[in-house]
Amino acid sequence: MHFTRFSIAAAALIALAACAPPGQSGSTEANATGPIKIANVNAQSGQLSSLGQWEHKGVKLAIEEANKAGGVNGRQIKLDLFDSQGDPTVGTNVARKIAAEGYIAMLGTAESAVTLAMAPILKDAKIPNITSGQSPKLAELKSPFLFLNAPTSVTFDETLAKYLVDDKGMKKIALISNNGAYGSGEHDAFLASLKTRNVTPSADEVVTPDQKDFNSNLAKIREQDPEVLFIGAEEVQSGLIAKQARELGIKAVFAGGAPVGTDVYATTAGLKNAEGTVVSSPYLSNEATEEIKTFAAKYKAAYNEDARMHVAKAYDGASILIEALKQTNGEGGQKLADAIRGVKRAGLLGNYNYDANGVGIHETKIGLVKDGKVVPEAAS
């Protein structure tokens, strides 16, 4: 985790400014000209570290571009990275730290459970947070300081159910999901979408987020011989489920949200096992639009790796924050939260238009995994 070392003199200055609102030093002149402190909180270690590392690169790219172009009305943005380790308790401690140290906004996390744990502290501190989490519970908080840079699971899974049931006529569907914040959100959203179509799952297995052996769960699913196996879990776990399902002879089509559209899922599952997986996501391909092609080329030049949805949505979130900061002239608090809510942006994931619950994107598309990469369903 990132910790800043302060000199005694700096500590004294912080003590004098302790009563100032977040992001303000207590000195009008310093506030008008000094750097704007933004925290990026994401897992840099642990099982979810791939998400956090992608997120940080997307955020960093947007911030570096903004700073090169003159920053926020002449002021530079100071971006500091904090490792949440994918752990809600660690995240809570980080939230207190960034509230105490004058950060005026937070970007991240990619993990819904961590963001949920941090949200009350950030709300009390009036620190706007643009998160990449997508649990419906984030929107249900109705925090005026919490914003999502992607749809919730409700949107992901309604799109999926429409494709599988309405368009393809598949009704023999089994579910396997974890009981973490993300998995629970996926499970409940997909189940609700099936119920509106009078479809009852042939099996509904729930696992823990750290589980790695799914043979007993998958044996029960195999007995039902489903056409579709819906997987509600993060990238690595989804890949392990797919791999073990094929090893047990389950022939069902795999389906899920954004995690099953990543190379981490495909390589963990094995490319042959991942082939044909149905993905619901607002960002399917680096080739989808001219804007995305330009972004993907820029990202590849900066990091020598291909862009992906987590990178793109983090970039979108940072870009929205920068736009809002320009409107407030670097001021934080309620004024910044209101400015974020008012941003209308044609982003990489779609058209951002924030609702009262802080959700900015309201549709996803269907893709299929081919040779380890997602292609739009229409082009498959």
Side-chain angles (χ1 to χ4, degrees):
M1 193 185 304
H2 168 96
F3 290 100
T4 308
R5 291 184 173 83
F6 296 106
S7 66
I8 293 171
L13 286 171
I14 286 167
L16 286 170
C19 297
Q24 296 184 15
S25 66
S27 161
T28 306
E29 185 181 349
N31 187 53
T33 60
I36 298 168
K37 291 175 67 175
I38 304 299
N40 177 216
V41 183
N42 266 302
Q44 301 298 297
S45 56
Q47 185 169 301
L48 300 175
S49 60
S50 58
L51 303 189
Q53 288 160 13
W54 293 333
E55 293 265 329
H56 181 56
K57 289 170 185 171
V59 165
K60 195 176 170 200
L61 187 62
I63 299 294
E64 285 175 350
E65 285 176 357
N67 280 338
K68 282 178 188 172
V72 174
N73 305 339
R75 295 172 64 191
Q76 293 287 286
I77 299 168
K78 184 177 187 294
L79 180 71
D80 288 329
L81 174 64
F82 297 83
D83 181 6
S84 68
Q85 300 173 32
D87 184 323
T89 302
V90 175
T92 300
N93 292 333
V94 172
R96 293 194 184 100
K97 183 176 175 63
I98 65 178
E101 293 183 3
Y103 290 88
I104 70 164
M106 174 183 140
L107 295 165
T109 69
E111 310 92 30
S112 296
V114 179
T115 301
L116 284 165
M118 298 179 75
I121 297 165
L122 298 173
K123 180 183 176 183
D124 288 347
K126 293 183 165 52
I127 297 175
N129 173 202
I130 300 181
T131 177
S132 289
Q134 62 185 60
S135 168
K137 287 184 171 63
L138 294 165
E140 288 164 14
L141 288 178
K142 298 184 186 296
S143 168
F145 293 92
L146 182 61
F147 303 90
L148 282 67
N149 58 18
T152 69
S153 295
V154 172
T155 300
F156 278 85
D157 296 327
E158 175 59 23
T159 302
L160 202 55
K162 181 181 182 300
Y163 173 75
L164 294 169
V165 180
D166 301 354
D167 298 351
K168 296 298 180 183
M170 295 176 167
K171 294 187 177 178
K172 201 169 182 186
I173 300 173
L175 280 64
I176 183 167
S177 52
N178 72 41
N179 57 8
Y182 173 75
S184 297
E186 285 290 291
H187 170 273
D188 295 351
F190 190 62
L191 194 61
S193 289
L194 291 182
K195 281 185 177 175
T196 64
R197 292 165 169 81
N198 297 314
V199 173
T200 302
S202 57
D204 187 355
E205 291 292 307
V206 177
V207 301
T208 63
D210 57 356
Q211 192 169 325
K212 292 180 175 61
D213 185 339
F214 310 98
N215 281 289
S216 61
N217 307 95
L218 292 168
K220 295 174 191 173
I221 288 170
R222 183 177 59 184
E223 288 174 11
Q224 304 302 320
D225 191 24
E227 296 172 280
V228 177
L229 177 57
F230 171 82
I231 304 175
E234 291 82 359
E235 286 75 359
V236 173
Q237 191 173 59
S238 292
L240 291 172
I241 290 169
K243 182 175 188 288
Q244 291 172 33
R246 289 290 185 253
E247 288 170 351
L248 281 176
I250 293 173
K251 294 181 172 60
V253 172
F254 299 135
V260 300
T262 63
D263 56 349
V264 172
Y265 162 77
T267 53
T268 305
L271 296 190
K272 186 179 177 184
N273 297 329
E275 189 73 8
T277 298
V278 180
V279 183
S280 173
S281 175
Y283 186 98
L284 295 176
S285 161
N286 288 336
E287 306 292 318
T289 65
E290 288 306 314
E291 289 79 12
I292 288 174
K293 284 180 186 176
T294 300
F295 165 76
K298 201 163 49 177
Y299 181 82
K300 183 85 179 249
Y303 297 109
N304 196 31
E305 65 181 28
D306 291 334
R308 61 201 78 216
M309 190 191 77
H310 274 286
V311 170
K313 68 179 175 177
Y315 182 91
D316 275 351
S319 300
I320 288 165
L321 175 60
I322 292 160
E323 195 171 321
L325 282 167
K326 287 177 180 176
Q327 292 175 24
T328 69
N329 199 29
E331 189 177 330
Q334 186 67 57
K335 192 172 180 181
L336 180 57
D338 292 343
I340 292 169
R341 195 176 304 280
V343 170
K344 304 288 188 287
R345 182 179 178 84
L348 299 168
L349 269 66
N351 294 316
Y352 285 86
N353 185 16
Y354 281 105
D355 62 19
N357 298 334
V359 180
I361 296 278
H362 306 277
E363 64 177 1
T364 64
K365 306 171 186 73
I366 293 293
L368 302 177
V369 176
K370 299 284 185 186
D371 299 320
K373 294 190 175 181
V374 178
V375 297
E377 192 273 341
S380 64

